[in-house]
Amino acid sequence: GEDVEQSLFLSVREGDSSVINCTYTDSSSTYLYWYKQEPGAGLQLLTYIFSNMDMKQDQRLTVLLNKKDKHLSLRIADTQTGDSAIYFCAEIHPSGGYNKLIFGAGTRLAVHP
Amino acid sequence: DVKVTQSSRYLVKRTGEKVFLECVQDMDHENMFWYRQDPGLGLRLIYFSYDVKMKEKGDIPEGYSVSREKKERFSLILESASTNQTSMYLCASSFSGTQYFGPGTRLTVL
């Protein structure tokens, strides 16, 4: 079946690292994504990882993929107040010849001083 | 940069009205999508289109229809708006798998 699960809430202190976790079910997913949504806005593509990679780093962001456990994580180093947002994990799921994205419910990250 | 725009950020309509939500993308993408987003339910796919005049139902198509007369434009239509269609509506476009989203339209149906 199709299911992507995330914890709903994470609170961190400014300057600490944040780790947002996600589990997915489709082992055939070729790409996995992280999107960020600020209040009242659409989803912004943050980063993605191809399924044959274990890790991808992009400035303060590190994505780790454990295919065996179907576990994806997003680490934000030196978390800032501007990182407060909802973070969505998504996997590609082929559906009738087309690629459909299956989203998790989103993790709300709150950054406090 | 990919740009996806939506016609309104905020919209207030009355029950029974016909509502059009417009989405335009400037990247010549084949695929376009309409989602609704509700607290605790995440994003749910309403309809998508993989080419001009082509459409496919998503997970929650009931009460909605769509139109894709030109490649760059994908419209979501609520034939007779109801209060349970109050939601945030997000449009996206993609070439392969990666989807790029518009800013969203927050629709309130009174």
Side-chain angles (χ1 to χ4, degrees):
Chain A
E2 313 164 356
D3 204 7
V4 177
E5 294 190 353
Q6 305 177 235
S7 53
L8 293 182
F9 190 74
L10 177 66
S11 177
V12 298
R13 193 181 301 275
E14 194 174 9
D16 287 352
S17 291
S18 308
V19 180
I20 302 171
N21 295 303
C22 169
T23 57
Y24 61 97
T25 54
D26 189 347
S27 57
S28 66
S29 290
T30 51
Y31 286 95
L32 294 127
Y33 298 87
W34 284 104
Y35 285 86
K36 175 184 180 183
Q37 185 180 36
E38 295 181 357
L43 272 67
Q44 171 197 349
L45 178 65
L46 266 186
T47 188
Y48 60 90
I49 188 166
F50 190 51
S51 58
N52 68 354
M53 298 169 68
D54 298 324
M55 183 179 94
K56 180 178 179 182
Q57 187 148 6
D58 183 2
Q59 299 181 331
R60 291 190 298 122
L61 304 179
T62 303
V63 179
L64 294 177
L65 176 60
N66 180 331
K67 281 196 75 175
K68 176 175 164 290
D69 295 338
K70 299 194 189 77
H71 183 266
L72 182 73
S73 68
L74 174 70
R75 179 177 180 269
I76 306 172
D78 188 25
T79 312
Q80 302 298 307
T81 54
D83 295 322
S84 294
I86 302 175
Y87 291 81
F88 291 91
C89 165
E91 63 167 343
I92 277 194
H93 181 79
S95 174
Y98 306 100
N99 286 325
K100 183 173 146 177
L101 274 189
I102 308 297
F103 289 88
T107 300
R108 184 178 294 275
L109 174 64
V111 182
H112 55 87
Chain B
D1 274 358
V2 177
K3 189 146 185 189
V4 180
T5 57
Q6 295 184 229
S7 49
S8 307
R9 293 299 305 273
Y10 301 94
L11 210 51
V12 180
K13 295 291 181 181
R14 296 207 175 272
T15 301
E17 279 193 78
K18 190 167 185 175
V19 182
F20 292 87
L21 302 183
E22 303 282 337
C23 176
V24 177
Q25 50 97 1
D26 67 356
M27 285 304 292
D28 203 36
H29 283 169
E30 302 289 334
N31 306 312
M32 295 187 75
F33 306 81
W34 275 106
Y35 295 87
R36 66 177 280 176
Q37 183 181 19
D38 301 288
L41 297 177
L43 274 77
R44 293 181 291 167
L45 182 63
I46 304 172
Y47 266 97
F48 68 98
S49 168
Y50 49 90
D51 203 350
V52 174
K53 296 193 190 296
M54 306 303 281
K55 61 186 179 186
E56 288 282 339
K57 291 180 181 179
D59 300 317
I60 51 160
E62 297 79 19
Y64 303 95
S65 61
V66 290
S67 171
R68 186 128 180 243
E69 296 296 318
K70 292 186 178 181
K71 193 174 187 180
E72 67 270 18
R73 189 179 297 267
F74 191 35
S75 302
L76 180 70
I77 303 153
L78 288 66
E79 293 288 342
S80 177
S82 63
T83 54
N84 64 11
Q85 292 178 309
T86 291
S87 187
M88 173 76 132
Y89 290 88
L90 294 165
C91 173
S93 74
S94 79
F95 172 63
S96 54
T98 305
Q99 292 186 20
Y100 298 90
F101 284 80
T105 296
R106 185 164 293 283
L107 172 67
T108 302
V109 183
L110 301 175

